[in-house]
Amino acid sequence: MNVIQHLIAGKKKDLGGFSVQRILPHEKIPMVGPFIFFDHMGPANFEIGDGIDVRPHPHIGLATLTYLFSGEIMHRDTLGYTQAITPGAVNWMIAGRGIAHSERTGLDERAHQHQLHGLQSWIALPKEFEECEPEFFHYPLEALPGIHQSGVELCVIAGEAYGKKAPVKTLSPLFYVEAHMEVDAFLDVPDQYSERAIYVVSGNIEINGKPIQASHFAVIEPGKTTITATHESHIMLLGGEPLAEPRHIFWNFVSSSPERIEQAKRDWVEGKFGKIPGDANEFIPLPEQPKPAPIL
């Protein structure tokens, strides 16, 4: 039986000298549970003096989760937080009614050759939390529960799975798990959630016998699903319960209300998101929207 609803290959997107594999949003599947955005960053190698510079930009209606496998990113935001993101730690930013942040390579990291590799996800907030006060949390590697199974090492990054719950302040039912699998090891996907997906960071796996290669994202049917590693593999498992209302997305804004997104656009143009301490001299302008085609 084919349990795979959709199989999505990463689409390369250039972020200005730094490319990512963009998985979500996708025309076939807008969300998996509350996950509405999923980027695989790198692996990218940088020479001395180089790095990433994602200038200040805004968010509403979502939480961002940054998780690195290698390298370091310096996070700054309008709440005044400055935090180095390092491998295995979770940066969790709840945008709520609005926040702006920047993501750059710090001076210490630029002082030597380095690699950046990781994931960034956006989790849409339930309607009752879309206008909550923005918050920022950092969870070190040691705070995240690990699980050892035969041939499999697991880390629960957010939500609840395999009998463990991460300390991350989630606002709806979800799970996000990292797994390292030895050859021929197998793993059951958590089946208590309505929507689930698997992303292969590296290696090759089979899902109920169907092969899935690296950089592919498989959205799977509800029910018992078993992963088998045909090579040494690094995978991510994620999903949760769908939100009650559809979500609209424009640039970095997510909302159940199109009118709220229009307001966020005006607020960014008018400078109402505030300044980021230590990174107040630059910003990313609101993208131009394509003009509608003329009616003939």
Side-chain angles (χ1 to χ4, degrees), residues 20-36:
V20 299
Q21 295 282 346
R22 180 148 298 168
I23 305 295
L24 297 177
H26 190 275
E27 59 268 17
K28 289 183 178 179
I29 182 93
M31 299 174 67
V32 177
F35 287 82
I36 196 168

Side-chain angles (χ1 to χ4, degrees), residues 160-262:
E160 190 169 359
Y162 302 106
K164 301 286 186 178
K165 185 175 183 179
V168 176
K169 185 183 177 179
T170 54
L171 298 174
S172 65
L174 63 87
F175 74 103
Y176 194 21
V177 175
E178 179 182 28
H180 290 274
M181 303 181 68
E182 297 176 4
V183 179
D184 295 329
F186 63 90
L187 177 67
D188 289 334
V189 183
D191 61 5
Q192 67 265 43
Y193 298 95
S194 302
E195 298 184 357
R196 304 171 300 161
I198 298 145
Y199 180 69
V200 183
V201 178
S202 62
N204 288 277
I205 64 170
E206 290 183 351
I207 300 176
N208 286 20
K210 182 174 177 60
I212 309 294
Q213 298 179 339
S215 300
H216 282 71
F217 186 89
V219 181
I220 58 178
E221 298 275 3
K224 181 174 174 58
T225 307
T226 301
I227 301 166
T228 304
T230 54
H231 297 73
E232 185 176 323
S233 298
H234 181 192
I235 67 172
M236 311 300 291
L237 304 97
L238 60 127
E241 297 306 317
L243 301 179
E245 316 83 10
R247 287 299 181 274
H248 306 272
I249 182 169
F250 171 82
W251 191 35
N252 303 311
F253 304 137
V254 169
S255 180
S256 59
S257 164
E259 293 77 17
R260 180 65 182 90
I261 288 180
E262 293 303 313

Side-chain angles (χ1 to χ4, degrees), residues 27-79:
E27 59 268 17
K28 289 183 178 179
I29 182 93
M31 299 174 67
V32 177
F35 287 82
I36 196 168
F37 180 95
F38 191 93
D39 262 4
H40 181 185
M41 306 179 288
N45 296 307
F46 294 95
E47 296 298 323
I48 294 172
D50 293 336
I52 66 164
D53 283 294
V54 182
R55 294 168 292 161
H57 58 280
H59 291 286
I60 66 163
L62 56 86
T64 65
L65 192 160
T66 304
Y67 189 76
L68 297 183
F69 309 130
S70 62
E72 181 180 291
I73 297 175
M74 188 63 69
H75 161 99
R76 292 182 175 86
D77 62 41
T78 45
L79 297 178

Side-chain angles (χ1 to χ4, degrees), residues 78-99:
T78 45
L79 297 178
Y81 288 99
T82 298
Q83 176 65 55
I85 312 170
T86 53
V90 167
N91 258 35
W92 178 257
M93 185 179 75
I94 300 175
R97 62 177 177 78
I99 195 171

